[in-house]
Amino acid sequence: MSAATSVVRLVSGAAVAALVVAAVGWGLQQPSPATGETVSEGSVVDVPPSPTRLVCAGPLVLPEERESDAAFDPVPVDPLTSLVAVATSSGGGALVDLPGAETLANLTEGVDASVVREAPGPVVVEAQPTDLPAALAAASSALVTAGDLRGLAAASCQAPTTDAWLVGGSTELGATALLVLQNAGSTPAVVHLDVYGATGEVDLDTEQYLVAPGAERVVVLGGLAPEERRVAVHVAATGGRVTAFVQDSTLDGFTPTGTDLVVAGAEPARRQVIPGVSVLATDVDDSDAGVLRLLVTGRSPATARVRLLGPDGVEDLPGAESLALEARGRDGRPARRAAGGGLHARRRRRPRGRRGRDAGPAGGAHRAGPERADA
């Protein structure tokens, strides 16, 4: 290539660059099609904090067929529901039904609390920001005094998300696990499900579900993954944000043994800590022994270590100093020793007689190659 050719190309490139800059500058000086205003240069715009929104579980999902004879009715009495919302800092807010058509209660500015009893369905708690995002917390509960769902079930209200892990529930004989999907947004959400059992991921006939705006959808997990003693569900949404929980109830023969509401916990991580867990001393084969559930959420195997943080300090859980976990597989380990303190998991309390007290999630693997997760 000659020197003259190189000079020509350099000059041509400079001319094109100058032309592009001139065109951009000319475009910025043209009126906006929306407002008619002329914008000569970029500007910085302050974006205020968004409202804080939580979605609370509604009344328990009752069996579709209820007998006329109270002696054989699985739910002979109506559940008693209650919801408590507390804002420690906000610009005011409201508690509305899931479609947003009815206001059930209000929150004043600053510090305020509100209680809603016998809500007709799921409740959305929304608090407006001040100069900072609103500080908001809420929880719902349901009390059933007779029938198959007898007991107290409670759960914290959840922020809508596009990704959630629910570790808990069972679909074995005598157990019923219902996945409840809620869409408090204004657009339809397509929800993709991954279900895991004791031996790993379960092949599903149906993996996607459409949840309409302001609506709730119930998925019977027993139909997707039957006869699974331990269940974990991964919920991934597109098109909108959703909340999800698992309503898990069991029978010991004809005796109700409680109902749990399993909500999403902390996101999968290499280290998880759950405070305030009381584990009673039990025998190794005791059906009421506390159980820690471990789920590897990545594609690579992991090694988990479970430790107890009790009044005597930190100690390893015997038999769980080094647990080899397969990729996206699960393992259950009995918590046999008494300890007051924290476990690297979420534990769900159950009435005596129910098969095991469960805890999860506890550890995850995301990077390539074997990893180690501490609890």
Side-chain angles (χ1 to χ4, degrees), residues 90-130:
S90 77
L95 285 70
V96 301
D97 62 356
L98 189 61
E102 180 182 1
T103 299
L104 307 176
N106 291 292
L107 294 169
T108 60
E109 296 183 6
V111 179
D112 193 18
S114 185
V115 178
V116 174
R117 301 190 186 279
E118 307 309 319
V123 176
V124 179
V125 184
E126 186 171 277
Q128 300 299 320
T130 54

Side-chain angles (χ1 to χ4, degrees), residues 118-309:
E118 307 309 319
V123 176
V124 179
V125 184
E126 186 171 277
Q128 300 299 320
T130 54
D131 293 336
L132 299 173
L136 180 66
S140 61
S141 64
L143 175 64
V144 182
T145 58
D148 291 354
L149 301 181
R150 185 179 63 189
L152 174 65
S156 58
C157 303
Q158 303 291 299
T161 182
T162 58
D163 190 272
W165 289 87
L166 307 171
V167 182
S170 172
T171 61
E172 65 179 349
L173 183 63
T176 301
L178 305 175
L179 174 65
V180 182
L181 304 170
Q182 301 163 325
N183 182 2
S186 57
T187 59
V190 177
V191 177
H192 178 89
L193 300 182
D194 297 308
V195 179
Y196 301 87
T199 58
E201 189 168 358
V202 179
D203 292 331
L204 305 180
D205 293 333
T206 303
E207 298 179 349
Q208 292 188 344
Y209 296 86
L210 179 66
V211 186
E216 177 180 86
R217 183 162 186 173
V218 179
V219 179
V220 180
L221 293 180
L224 297 179
E227 297 301 317
E228 291 287 352
R229 184 175 183 182
R230 298 183 293 271
V231 175
V233 181
H234 179 217
V235 176
T238 57
R241 296 175 179 267
V242 299
T243 52
F245 67 91
V246 173
Q247 178 181 308
D248 177 41
S249 58
T250 59
L251 294 172
D252 185 4
F254 295 99
T255 304
T257 51
T259 299
D260 288 325
L261 300 180
V262 182
V263 297
E267 294 182 357
R270 295 187 62 189
R271 179 180 177 85
Q272 301 272 10
V273 177
I274 290 187
V277 177
S278 179
V279 182
L280 302 178
T282 57
D283 296 330
V284 175
D285 57 350
D286 194 328
S287 61
D288 288 332
V291 175
L292 177 68
R293 294 188 177 186
L294 306 177
L295 170 65
V296 177
T297 61
R299 297 295 184 182
S300 302
T303 301
R305 179 185 182 187
V306 182
R307 291 178 292 177
L308 303 177
L309 287 69

Side-chain angles (χ1 to χ4, degrees), residues 336-351:
R336 299 186 296 269
R337 299 186 59 181
L343 277 177
H344 173 68
R346 183 185 69 238
R347 175 176 176 271
R348 300 185 291 118
R349 297 183 61 85
R350 292 177 174 173

Side-chain angles (χ1 to χ4, degrees), residues 317-337:
L317 179 66
E321 298 89 346
S322 181
L323 301 176
L325 303 176
E326 297 180 0
R328 293 205 170 184
R330 302 188 324 109
D331 193 7
R333 296 287 172 173
R336 299 186 296 269
R337 299 186 59 181

Side-chain angles (χ1 to χ4, degrees), residues 2 17 24 40 62 75 215 245 258 281 323 340 344 353 369:
S2 66
V24 172
S40 59
L62 304 181
V75 189
F245 67 91
L323 301 176
H344 173 68

